[in-house]
Amino acid sequence: MNTFKGKVLEVEYDPGKCSHAGECVRGLPLVFDSSRTPWIDPDKADADAVRAQVAKCPSGALTVRNSSS
Ligand code: SF4
């Protein structure tokens, strides 16, 4: 499990579950950019948009929670 910490949210990514359908990259390309390291930057969109995109992940590879301070 890989964790990507933003100021408001943390996104977790489980590469073993990802079906590489590219849903996240197409839906919110500023946050999910597979050509960048780290490839997920939760601060590049507002929290609601990130939550909504994570909810659309068809494989359950992405999860989101509030950042711990
Ligand atoms: S939306 Fe989910 S399954 Fe699709 S590429 Fe992104 S992490 Fe992988």
Side-chain angles (χ1 to χ4, degrees):
M1 193 66 97
N2 302 323
T3 305
F4 300 86
K5 290 180 191 291
K7 292 189 181 75
V8 179
L9 297 178
E10 284 177 22
V11 175
E12 289 207 328
Y13 170 64
D14 182 345
K17 284 188 182 169
C18 177
S19 59
H20 303 287
E23 206 77 39
C24 52
V25 174
R26 277 195 301 276
L28 215 47
L30 291 177
V31 173
F32 301 94
D33 180 350
S34 52
S35 67
R36 179 185 64 201
T37 305
W39 79 279
I40 300 175
D41 182 348
D43 291 337
K44 290 278 195 265
D46 69 51
D48 286 346
V50 175
R51 280 195 188 91
Q53 190 60 51
V54 165
K56 289 181 191 161
C57 172
S59 69
L62 296 174
T63 53
V64 66
R65 61 169 179 245
N66 292 330
S67 278
S68 41
S69 47

